[in-house]
Amino acid sequence: MAERMSDTRWKALFETEPDALLVVAGDGALREVNPAGLLLFEAERPAEVVGRTLSEFLTPSHREGFRSYVKRVRGGHKGSLEVEMAGLKGGARTVMVWAVPLDKKPGSGAFLLVLARDVTEQRELEADLRESRKMAAVGQLAASFAHDFNNLLNGLMGSLWLVATKLGADHPAAPLVATAGQAGRKAAEIVRQLLAIGRKSKGELYPVALQTIAEEVVRRLRRTLDPRIEVVLEADPDLGTVQSHPGLIRTILLNLCTNARDAMPQGGRLTVELRNVKREDIGECVRLTVSDTGVGMDAELSRRIFEPFFTTKEERRGVGLGLTVVQSLVNRLAGTITIESEPGRGSRFVIDVPRMVAKDAPVELSPAEPPAQAVPSGTGQAILVVDDEEILRVVARAALEQAGFAVLEAEDSASALEVFQRERERIAVVLLDVNMPGRTGDEFFQDLRGLDPNVSVIFCSGSISEKKGALLIRAGAKAFLHKPYSARQLTEAVRQVLQPQPER
């Protein structure tokens, strides 16, 4: 062995090889380790690892597979094996190994030369790419069916509202109608979550104080959770602000806290922590931690917990989107999210979001309400409802007529143009669907403005974001309703548009 290592060329190759080179004895003990190998083992000197078996550094679940691989190599097998290992300081790595016998006659006692290549970053990049493709597929799926599905929900929920108004609160069937309406709202929330996953734009972000939002969420949880669950909020003084939107932070918190609640069916402690931290990779951060004392998860479940539609809950208690939405929103904020969990010892979700450097005043969670003004009821003004779904026109007509408005209908832009030209003097507001066959809603809007630059249009859609809705308003629309909208939201939007504007 000493003669082999004294060869000058072999020695130079051994010392300069960028991958770890290991000489392993017949009993599995390490005999020689090159400089790259010392880095892999997180060792400073060969004496720290020489004499120890290579299997000691492998994770328990990979040791038997490695022993079987070595046995095959000693029998003449040529190939590689991917294993998980940890260095002396506990650093976990994914390593691809190739082994060949150093002796001419293979056997159980032959020395092996093992080349070990660290592929941790490569595997992480591959996992990120798979996740990115998966998220993109979910987003495309959501966008493709959101319009039609929200139209159906809008018709369903609007019809339930009409039934409820006919029955009255004292009717025996009223609770059933209310329950059906609640189910419809939950379905609408699932669609919104799917759309949130597929959106990569950060939207309009501004300084936000997390503590104000966390306090509001915790107050809500204390009112609504099982009293056996203790809810605790801990926050650093002078907590930093982050670039976000109150709605994003609230969604993140509520989803994590709902997950924690479901993990503690017998009660426990739910803790929300807000800390100022500094990380080497992203600098000053605000850390949001949500932990519970629930059932916990093993490593396999923890790895899969952010996958779309993956859930550990009973079939009726979740669809596996909450944590996927959380991860998507955290990514939009340029933050990171990690999970620490063990079976029987609860779970801990840690989110780090870059802290704002500039000391901008944080926005208030609930902006001051404008002075109360009298909102006029309908007095027979004509509303033109343009939507290709008949059930939505029926529901809108019923809601608007009950509120005191007259209603005209059109199923597409061509027929709507005819109605508008004929009844132009009567029409006070146009309720216009964004996605229609033929000319789209925003294209038809430009046609209407060509006929009447002051036309009042309320756009509605179930497949575009609130940000795009805001862009329509900037382009001249008076309001935007996200489907499914309630009868009250519709009538209030119309009334607000018709409300006299204060003189400037």
Side-chain angles (χ1 to χ4, degrees):
M1 185 68 196
E3 292 176 357
R4 176 164 51 239
M5 294 304 298
S6 65
D7 183 273
T8 304
R9 288 174 296 179
W10 165 253
K11 188 76 171 178
L13 175 64
F14 189 80
E15 294 291 332
T16 59
E17 168 61 39
D19 290 321
L21 284 178
L22 320 170
V23 176
V24 181
D27 59 0
L30 293 165
R31 290 291 181 250
E32 295 286 345
V33 179
N34 74 342
L38 294 179
L39 290 175
L40 185 65
F41 290 121
E42 298 178 320
E44 296 181 3
R45 299 177 304 278
E48 296 179 60
V49 293
V50 170
R52 301 179 63 172
T53 64
L54 181 54
S55 292
E56 290 180 47
F57 295 94
L58 305 183
T59 56
S61 59
H62 286 80
R63 290 172 184 170
E64 184 57 40
F66 180 71
R67 281 193 288 267
S68 176
Y69 169 73
V70 168
K71 185 177 180 179
R72 295 196 304 273
V73 168
R74 293 186 192 281
H77 171 75
K78 295 180 179 179
S80 61
L81 178 71
E82 188 169 304
V83 294
E84 302 285 339
M85 63 163 288
L88 293 174
K89 298 178 182 178
R93 314 302 296 172
T94 302
V95 179
M96 184 69 74
V97 297
W98 291 264
V100 293
L102 281 176
D103 295 326
K104 294 182 179 179
K105 296 181 179 180
S108 60
F111 276 74
L112 296 179
L113 176 64
V114 178
L115 184 146
R117 177 171 297 163
D118 188 344
V119 295
T120 307
E121 291 186 5
Q122 179 182 340
R123 295 296 178 261
E124 290 175 348
L125 287 173
E126 291 170 353
D128 288 344
L129 179 60
R130 287 194 299 270
E131 189 68 17
S132 176
R133 289 173 175 170
K134 188 184 301 180
M135 292 295 189
V138 172
Q140 291 170 359
L141 171 66
S144 66
F145 82 81
H147 173 69
D148 292 337
F149 194 72
N150 276 328
N151 276 348
L152 294 173
L153 280 176
N154 214 144
L156 172 66
M157 296 171 68
S159 299
L160 288 171
W161 173 80
L162 291 175
V163 172
T165 57
K166 298 294 183 183
L167 295 179
D170 298 329
H171 194 280
L176 297 176
V177 175
T179 300
Q182 185 179 25
R185 287 189 290 275
K186 288 183 178 179
E189 178 59 27
I190 290 174
V191 177
R192 279 192 288 271
Q193 289 184 349
L194 281 168
L195 288 171
I197 293 170
R199 289 175 187 144
K200 297 181 180 179
S201 170
K202 292 184 179 181
E204 189 173 347
L205 306 181
Y206 39 82
V208 170
L210 270 65
Q211 185 167 348
T212 306
I213 303 170
E215 288 172 350
E216 182 221 357
V217 170
V218 166
R219 283 195 299 270
R220 174 177 170 181
L221 293 173
R222 286 171 177 162
R223 290 195 308 267
T224 58
L225 292 189
D226 187 325
R228 294 176 297 174
I229 297 178
E230 179 188 8
V231 184
V232 178
L233 173 62
E234 301 175 358
D236 281 349
D238 302 321
L239 193 71
T241 59
V242 300
Q243 280 281 91
S244 180
H245 183 283
L248 298 186
I249 300 298
R250 191 181 302 109
T251 298
I252 289 170
L253 259 176
L254 286 173
N255 274 303
L256 289 179
C257 291
T258 299
N259 195 68
R261 175 205 65 189
D262 293 342
M264 299 185 289
Q266 305 303 320
R269 182 185 178 95
L270 191 165
T271 304
V272 178
E273 299 176 67
L274 299 170
R275 308 293 185 198
N276 292 318
V277 299
K278 185 174 183 179
R279 289 179 39 167
E280 292 184 1
D281 51 351
I282 56 178
E284 299 284 347
C285 296
V286 176
R287 173 166 291 174
L288 165 62
T289 304
V290 176
S291 56
D292 63 70
T293 58
V295 296
M297 293 174 286
D298 59 25
E300 178 60 25
L301 290 180
S302 296
R303 278 194 292 268
R304 299 191 60 194
I305 201 68
F306 295 110
E307 293 180 10
F309 305 110
F310 177 78
T311 180
T312 60
K313 303 173 186 177
E314 297 175 7
E315 185 175 347
R316 293 182 297 173
R317 299 204 62 185
V319 293
L321 286 175
L323 292 178
T324 310
V325 168
V326 169
Q327 185 185 50
S328 177
L329 296 181
V330 171
N331 289 340
R332 288 168 64 184
L333 300 178
T336 63
I337 180 169
T338 56
I339 178 174
E340 304 165 7
S341 187
E342 291 183 38
R345 303 190 65 177
S347 299
R348 185 171 182 262
F349 288 87
V350 180
I351 294 173
D352 289 335
V353 180
R355 181 177 177 175
M356 291 194 62
V357 178
K359 295 183 178 179
D360 298 305
V363 299
E364 295 293 330
L365 178 63
S366 301
E369 292 291 334
Q373 300 180 18
V375 180
S377 297
T379 55
Q381 301 99 319
I383 312 300
L384 173 57
V385 178
V386 187
D387 201 302
D388 57 313
E389 291 287 345
E390 181 180 9
I391 188 171
L392 298 187
R393 300 198 303 272
V394 170
V395 170
R397 171 185 285 277
L400 291 168
E401 287 180 345
Q402 183 166 315
F405 300 100
V407 178
L408 303 170
E409 296 181 34
E411 64 180 358
D412 54 33
S413 56
S415 57
L417 187 60
E418 292 179 6
V419 175
F420 187 82
Q421 290 174 324
R422 185 176 66 247
E423 305 287 350
R424 177 175 170 180
E425 297 301 321
R426 290 181 57 206
I427 295 172
V429 176
V430 179
L431 178 65
L432 182 58
D433 186 23
V434 173
N435 296 311
M436 292 190 301
R439 291 183 68 76
T440 62
D442 49 346
E443 291 173 338
F444 178 58
F445 177 45
Q446 299 306 318
D447 296 339
L448 291 179
R449 295 189 75 180
L451 296 172
D452 180 2
N454 299 315
V455 63
S456 295
V457 171
I458 299 174
F459 274 109
C460 57
S461 176
S463 59
I464 69 173
S465 66
E466 297 291 345
K467 181 183 178 181
K468 290 183 179 178
L471 291 176
L472 292 173
I473 294 174
R474 291 179 186 176
K478 299 298 183 182
F480 173 73
L481 288 173
H482 197 286
K483 294 179 181 178
Y485 51 78
S486 67
R488 176 177 295 180
Q489 288 172 320
L490 171 59
T491 55
E492 286 299 315
V494 172
R495 287 169 176 162
Q496 290 293 334
V497 169
L498 293 176
Q499 189 172 340
Q501 299 299 312
E503 295 184 4
R504 296 183 178 180

